[in-house]
Amino acid sequence: MSPRPAHIVIVEDEPVTRSALASYLESFGYRVSECDTAEKAEKILSQGTADLLIADINLQGKDGLEITREQRARSEIGIILLSGRTDDVDRIVGLELGADDYVCKPFNRRELLARVKNLLRRTAAMRALTRRVLHFNGFTFDVGSRQVTNAAGEPIVLTRAEYELLRVFVFNPGTVMDRDRLIAAITHRQDGTSTRTIDVLVQRLRAKLDDDPKAPRIFTTSHGEGYVFTALLD
Amino acid sequence: MSPRPAHIVIVEDEPVTRSALASYLESFGYRVSECDTAEKAEKILSQGTADLLIADINLQGKDGLEITREQRARSEIGIILLSGRTDDVDRIVGLELGADDYVCKPFNRRELLARVKNLLRRTAAMRALTRRVLHFNGFTFDVGSRQVTNAAGEPIVLTRAEYELLRVFVFNPGTVMDRDRLIAAITHRQDGTSTRTIDVLVQRLRAKLDDDPKAPRIFTTSHGEGYVFTALLD
DNA sequence: ATTTTTTGTAAAAATTTGTTAACAGACGCC
DNA sequence: GGCGTCTGTTAACAAATTTTTACAAAAAAT
């Protein structure tokens, strides 16, 4: 029984360390995404498919601690912090923010691998068990069980593509996402799927969630750019 | 939060360190058992009520590494190793044996507390998944004895393949699994069994577990990808 | 105001899944 | 071993989903 490879996101602005670590982990069969800034990492993390985040604590702009705080607020992804300093305070702050581990550079990559393995074992169980239920415009969206119900409690049946699209939207409220990004999040095919597929799916989601196409309040069109999820989550 | 306090077992032969740590953790509401030898710790661990083990790596007799190896083989308890030495090799061996963490003495107790908290969060989810008797949508599934009963307590008879398939599903809730993976989990054959067999088996499981094929809540199809177990385990 | 670009919509086409039935082999029973 | 029953598998066709296509409508640009 071979499970799908775990997806690990690395945020580290030093290219040498980053690519060395990435290729080391890849050689053990993990799927690795390399990022040099917090923003790029968040874009990948917002898809909600990553299992583990390895973040340098000292980044230009938004640093590892901030990423930790934000991610922990919204997901149960495993987080390992990397740091150049052996600073007690830094370490404690990181751990108290919810990072699962804190490794000081220069780190032994075999040790890091062991920590990655152990943590993935733990998060695998957690991911599916923790329930994430979102509410907007009277609708309830249970992300794990893929169920949507309207204000009356009646179930709204979504197809796979509709579900995936809705998931990307609710995890990125207020963010304009272009069609390429949305396509990347929902398709499972190799070949380039036409971006117009998104328009059709948005239309179907609007129909199912009673969003008036003439004056949409949930899925707003951003002409020339893409779509935005504009419902208020509560 | 969890009603019963987490139970932490400490194995440490130095009395001062041990009792200091124990009372510190107790002051945060944890239930702590102190042991000075591996044997005493194992006696407590064998009851299966402990959530977390904090073990010194250098003990008279059986040491922390040996305890780690033995516990990891039989349970998913969280393990934090303590060591007087900052030895790379020791640390790596400990982590590779499955210890979740490795803390060097003298440790900052606030740091250790943060690690304990984070690890308990992880193991709580894991315990639920490693249970041998699972409950979902009113059904009870005893993995060991292959028995399934519905809400009324009436037995549901599953064939071997159906049972194997259900087992893969419940141990991977929320994870989309493609047909190849599911086939690999249920068939013992080498030759390529048609993946469509999975569809038929899923259909039969749906029928037996009253899962509406038009709007499934237990076995959700992920078009173009496979199937997901989307029932809530409780 | 006209042209160009972009989006909305419906419906067809391609792909994937659901369902039924049939068959071969495994299993238990006598 | 011979017999009947049950299970796993495949095949065939129906149904559903995803994607493409075509054209109308709307928005932006000129």
Side-chain angles (χ1 to χ4, degrees), chain A residues 195-213:
Chain A
T195 55
R196 299 310 306 283
T197 298
I198 294 301
D199 298 65
V200 176
L201 288 169
V202 166
Q203 182 210 345
R204 288 179 187 155
L205 272 181
R206 281 177 176 159
K208 290 192 179 180
L209 302 185
D210 294 321
D211 201 24
D212 179 9

PDB file of all heavy atoms in Angstrom, chain A residues 195-213:
ATOM      1  N   THR A 195      -8.948  27.548 -20.053  1.00  0.00           N
ATOM      2  CA  THR A 195      -9.323  28.364 -18.894  1.00  0.00           C
ATOM      3  C   THR A 195     -10.820  28.638 -18.859  1.00  0.00           C
ATOM      4  O   THR A 195     -11.365  28.997 -17.830  1.00  0.00           O
ATOM      5  CB  THR A 195      -8.573  29.708 -18.900  1.00  0.00           C
ATOM      6  OG1 THR A 195      -8.815  30.353 -20.153  1.00  0.00           O
ATOM      7  CG2 THR A 195      -7.097  29.506 -18.704  1.00  0.00           C
ATOM      8  N   ARG A 196     -11.470  28.448 -20.008  1.00  0.00           N
ATOM      9  CA  ARG A 196     -12.895  28.715 -20.050  1.00  0.00           C
ATOM     10  C   ARG A 196     -13.699  27.731 -19.193  1.00  0.00           C
ATOM     11  O   ARG A 196     -14.836  27.987 -18.827  1.00  0.00           O
ATOM     12  CB  ARG A 196     -13.408  28.697 -21.486  1.00  0.00           C
ATOM     13  CG  ARG A 196     -12.764  29.734 -22.384  1.00  0.00           C
ATOM     14  CD  ARG A 196     -12.793  31.124 -21.736  1.00  0.00           C
ATOM     15  NE  ARG A 196     -14.116  31.540 -21.322  1.00  0.00           N
ATOM     16  CZ  ARG A 196     -15.055  31.993 -22.142  1.00  0.00           C
ATOM     17  NH1 ARG A 196     -14.797  32.121 -23.424  1.00  0.00           N
ATOM     18  NH2 ARG A 196     -16.225  32.343 -21.679  1.00  0.00           N
ATOM     19  N   THR A 197     -13.076  26.608 -18.904  1.00  0.00           N
ATOM     20  CA  THR A 197     -13.709  25.642 -18.001  1.00  0.00           C
ATOM     21  C   THR A 197     -14.085  26.317 -16.687  1.00  0.00           C
ATOM     22  O   THR A 197     -15.125  26.027 -16.096  1.00  0.00           O
ATOM     23  CB  THR A 197     -12.744  24.471 -17.717  1.00  0.00           C
ATOM     24  OG1 THR A 197     -12.479  23.814 -18.947  1.00  0.00           O
ATOM     25  CG2 THR A 197     -13.339  23.489 -16.739  1.00  0.00           C
ATOM     26  N   ILE A 198     -13.217  27.216 -16.235  1.00  0.00           N
ATOM     27  CA  ILE A 198     -13.467  27.918 -14.976  1.00  0.00           C
ATOM     28  C   ILE A 198     -14.765  28.719 -15.048  1.00  0.00           C
ATOM     29  O   ILE A 198     -15.578  28.687 -14.123  1.00  0.00           O
ATOM     30  CB  ILE A 198     -12.280  28.860 -14.644  1.00  0.00           C
ATOM     31  CG1 ILE A 198     -11.032  28.035 -14.369  1.00  0.00           C
ATOM     32  CG2 ILE A 198     -12.621  29.744 -13.445  1.00  0.00           C
ATOM     33  CD1 ILE A 198     -11.153  27.061 -13.230  1.00  0.00           C
ATOM     34  N   ASP A 199     -14.953  29.403 -16.173  1.00  0.00           N
ATOM     35  CA  ASP A 199     -16.172  30.208 -16.309  1.00  0.00           C
ATOM     36  C   ASP A 199     -17.412  29.335 -16.172  1.00  0.00           C
ATOM     37  O   ASP A 199     -18.382  29.708 -15.501  1.00  0.00           O
ATOM     38  CB  ASP A 199     -16.181  30.898 -17.677  1.00  0.00           C
ATOM     39  CG  ASP A 199     -15.021  31.857 -17.839  1.00  0.00           C
ATOM     40  OD1 ASP A 199     -13.863  31.383 -17.845  1.00  0.00           O
ATOM     41  OD2 ASP A 199     -15.267  33.062 -17.906  1.00  0.00           O
ATOM     42  N   VAL A 200     -17.354  28.192 -16.798  1.00  0.00           N
ATOM     43  CA  VAL A 200     -18.507  27.290 -16.738  1.00  0.00           C
ATOM     44  C   VAL A 200     -18.733  26.813 -15.308  1.00  0.00           C
ATOM     45  O   VAL A 200     -19.868  26.777 -14.824  1.00  0.00           O
ATOM     46  CB  VAL A 200     -18.294  26.083 -17.677  1.00  0.00           C
ATOM     47  CG1 VAL A 200     -19.431  25.104 -17.546  1.00  0.00           C
ATOM     48  CG2 VAL A 200     -18.142  26.556 -19.113  1.00  0.00           C
ATOM     49  N   LEU A 201     -17.653  26.475 -14.621  1.00  0.00           N
ATOM     50  CA  LEU A 201     -17.793  25.989 -13.254  1.00  0.00           C
ATOM     51  C   LEU A 201     -18.272  27.087 -12.308  1.00  0.00           C
ATOM     52  O   LEU A 201     -19.085  26.843 -11.420  1.00  0.00           O
ATOM     53  CB  LEU A 201     -16.458  25.404 -12.763  1.00  0.00           C
ATOM     54  CG  LEU A 201     -16.099  24.064 -13.397  1.00  0.00           C
ATOM     55  CD1 LEU A 201     -14.659  23.686 -13.075  1.00  0.00           C
ATOM     56  CD2 LEU A 201     -17.049  22.980 -12.919  1.00  0.00           C
ATOM     57  N   VAL A 202     -17.777  28.292 -12.505  1.00  0.00           N
ATOM     58  CA  VAL A 202     -18.227  29.412 -11.678  1.00  0.00           C
ATOM     59  C   VAL A 202     -19.725  29.612 -11.888  1.00  0.00           C
ATOM     60  O   VAL A 202     -20.487  29.800 -10.943  1.00  0.00           O
ATOM     61  CB  VAL A 202     -17.456  30.711 -12.012  1.00  0.00           C
ATOM     62  CG1 VAL A 202     -18.145  31.928 -11.405  1.00  0.00           C
ATOM     63  CG2 VAL A 202     -16.026  30.617 -11.503  1.00  0.00           C
ATOM     64  N   GLN A 203     -20.104  29.510 -13.139  1.00  0.00           N
ATOM     65  CA  GLN A 203     -21.521  29.659 -13.454  1.00  0.00           C
ATOM     66  C   GLN A 203     -22.358  28.612 -12.716  1.00  0.00           C
ATOM     67  O   GLN A 203     -23.408  28.916 -12.145  1.00  0.00           O
ATOM     68  CB  GLN A 203     -21.694  29.514 -14.962  1.00  0.00           C
ATOM     69  CG  GLN A 203     -23.106  29.699 -15.458  1.00  0.00           C
ATOM     70  CD  GLN A 203     -23.347  28.880 -16.714  1.00  0.00           C
ATOM     71  OE1 GLN A 203     -22.403  28.405 -17.343  1.00  0.00           O
ATOM     72  NE2 GLN A 203     -24.607  28.699 -17.053  1.00  0.00           N
ATOM     73  N   ARG A 204     -21.858  27.393 -12.712  1.00  0.00           N
ATOM     74  CA  ARG A 204     -22.616  26.316 -12.047  1.00  0.00           C
ATOM     75  C   ARG A 204     -22.639  26.497 -10.537  1.00  0.00           C
ATOM     76  O   ARG A 204     -23.637  26.225  -9.877  1.00  0.00           O
ATOM     77  CB  ARG A 204     -22.003  24.965 -12.408  1.00  0.00           C
ATOM     78  CG  ARG A 204     -22.307  24.599 -13.844  1.00  0.00           C
ATOM     79  CD  ARG A 204     -21.694  23.280 -14.232  1.00  0.00           C
ATOM     80  NE  ARG A 204     -21.856  23.043 -15.667  1.00  0.00           N
ATOM     81  CZ  ARG A 204     -21.067  22.259 -16.386  1.00  0.00           C
ATOM     82  NH1 ARG A 204     -20.056  21.622 -15.806  1.00  0.00           N
ATOM     83  NH2 ARG A 204     -21.273  22.099 -17.667  1.00  0.00           N
ATOM     84  N   LEU A 205     -21.516  26.952  -9.972  1.00  0.00           N
ATOM     85  CA  LEU A 205     -21.490  27.216  -8.536  1.00  0.00           C
ATOM     86  C   LEU A 205     -22.474  28.341  -8.205  1.00  0.00           C
ATOM     87  O   LEU A 205     -23.206  28.262  -7.220  1.00  0.00           O
ATOM     88  CB  LEU A 205     -20.085  27.606  -8.073  1.00  0.00           C
ATOM     89  CG  LEU A 205     -19.135  26.474  -7.679  1.00  0.00           C
ATOM     90  CD1 LEU A 205     -17.799  27.035  -7.212  1.00  0.00           C
ATOM     91  CD2 LEU A 205     -19.730  25.613  -6.565  1.00  0.00           C
ATOM     92  N   ARG A 206     -22.499  29.378  -9.052  1.00  0.00           N
ATOM     93  CA  ARG A 206     -23.437  30.475  -8.824  1.00  0.00           C
ATOM     94  C   ARG A 206     -24.873  29.955  -8.827  1.00  0.00           C
ATOM     95  O   ARG A 206     -25.681  30.311  -7.967  1.00  0.00           O
ATOM     96  CB  ARG A 206     -23.274  31.546  -9.908  1.00  0.00           C
ATOM     97  CG  ARG A 206     -22.096  32.467  -9.689  1.00  0.00           C
ATOM     98  CD  ARG A 206     -21.953  33.449 -10.842  1.00  0.00           C
ATOM     99  NE  ARG A 206     -20.874  34.410 -10.599  1.00  0.00           N
ATOM    100  CZ  ARG A 206     -20.264  35.099 -11.565  1.00  0.00           C
ATOM    101  NH1 ARG A 206     -20.617  34.922 -12.833  1.00  0.00           N
ATOM    102  NH2 ARG A 206     -19.301  35.945 -11.267  1.00  0.00           N
ATOM    103  N   ALA A 207     -25.157  29.100  -9.765  1.00  0.00           N
ATOM    104  CA  ALA A 207     -26.512  28.550  -9.858  1.00  0.00           C
ATOM    105  C   ALA A 207     -26.856  27.753  -8.595  1.00  0.00           C
ATOM    106  O   ALA A 207     -27.924  27.912  -8.016  1.00  0.00           O
ATOM    107  CB  ALA A 207     -26.641  27.689 -11.106  1.00  0.00           C
ATOM    108  N   LYS A 208     -25.931  26.923  -8.147  1.00  0.00           N
ATOM    109  CA  LYS A 208     -26.219  26.071  -6.995  1.00  0.00           C
ATOM    110  C   LYS A 208     -26.270  26.852  -5.688  1.00  0.00           C
ATOM    111  O   LYS A 208     -26.958  26.457  -4.755  1.00  0.00           O
ATOM    112  CB  LYS A 208     -25.179  24.956  -6.898  1.00  0.00           C
ATOM    113  CG  LYS A 208     -25.321  23.916  -8.007  1.00  0.00           C
ATOM    114  CD  LYS A 208     -24.495  22.664  -7.759  1.00  0.00           C
ATOM    115  CE  LYS A 208     -24.715  21.663  -8.888  1.00  0.00           C
ATOM    116  NZ  LYS A 208     -23.930  20.423  -8.708  1.00  0.00           N
ATOM    117  N   LEU A 209     -25.528  27.943  -5.612  1.00  0.00           N
ATOM    118  CA  LEU A 209     -25.496  28.711  -4.374  1.00  0.00           C
ATOM    119  C   LEU A 209     -26.308  30.002  -4.478  1.00  0.00           C
ATOM    120  O   LEU A 209     -26.085  30.948  -3.714  1.00  0.00           O
ATOM    121  CB  LEU A 209     -24.043  29.016  -3.977  1.00  0.00           C
ATOM    122  CG  LEU A 209     -23.131  27.799  -3.785  1.00  0.00           C
ATOM    123  CD1 LEU A 209     -21.769  28.225  -3.274  1.00  0.00           C
ATOM    124  CD2 LEU A 209     -23.739  26.791  -2.812  1.00  0.00           C
ATOM    125  N   ASP A 210     -27.233  30.036  -5.421  1.00  0.00           N
ATOM    126  CA  ASP A 210     -28.146  31.175  -5.566  1.00  0.00           C
ATOM    127  C   ASP A 210     -27.415  32.505  -5.662  1.00  0.00           C
ATOM    128  O   ASP A 210     -27.808  33.485  -5.033  1.00  0.00           O
ATOM    129  CB  ASP A 210     -29.143  31.232  -4.389  1.00  0.00           C
ATOM    130  CG  ASP A 210     -30.064  30.027  -4.413  1.00  0.00           C
ATOM    131  OD1 ASP A 210     -30.468  29.634  -5.524  1.00  0.00           O
ATOM    132  OD2 ASP A 210     -30.331  29.480  -3.337  1.00  0.00           O
ATOM    133  N   ASP A 211     -26.355  32.541  -6.419  1.00  0.00           N
ATOM    134  CA  ASP A 211     -25.620  33.785  -6.589  1.00  0.00           C
ATOM    135  C   ASP A 211     -26.041  34.387  -7.927  1.00  0.00           C
ATOM    136  O   ASP A 211     -25.756  33.840  -8.979  1.00  0.00           O
ATOM    137  CB  ASP A 211     -24.112  33.493  -6.576  1.00  0.00           C
ATOM    138  CG  ASP A 211     -23.296  34.721  -6.248  1.00  0.00           C
ATOM    139  OD1 ASP A 211     -23.841  35.636  -5.606  1.00  0.00           O
ATOM    140  OD2 ASP A 211     -22.120  34.762  -6.612  1.00  0.00           O
ATOM    141  N   ASP A 212     -26.746  35.521  -7.845  1.00  0.00           N
ATOM    142  CA  ASP A 212     -27.263  36.161  -9.057  1.00  0.00           C
ATOM    143  C   ASP A 212     -26.119  36.561  -9.991  1.00  0.00           C
ATOM    144  O   ASP A 212     -25.287  37.385  -9.634  1.00  0.00           O
ATOM    145  CB  ASP A 212     -28.076  37.401  -8.660  1.00  0.00           C
ATOM    146  CG  ASP A 212     -28.633  38.135  -9.881  1.00  0.00           C
ATOM    147  OD1 ASP A 212     -28.520  37.585 -10.988  1.00  0.00           O
ATOM    148  OD2 ASP A 212     -29.172  39.240  -9.702  1.00  0.00           O
ATOM    149  N   PRO A 213     -26.090  35.994 -11.202  1.00  0.00           N
ATOM    150  CA  PRO A 213     -24.990  36.283 -12.126  1.00  0.00           C
ATOM    151  C   PRO A 213     -24.918  37.760 -12.506  1.00  0.00           C
ATOM    152  O   PRO A 213     -23.854  38.265 -12.855  1.00  0.00           O
ATOM    153  CB  PRO A 213     -25.324  35.430 -13.357  1.00  0.00           C
ATOM    154  CG  PRO A 213     -26.307  34.420 -12.876  1.00  0.00           C
ATOM    155  CD  PRO A 213     -27.067  35.075 -11.785  1.00  0.00           C
TER     156      PRO A 213
END
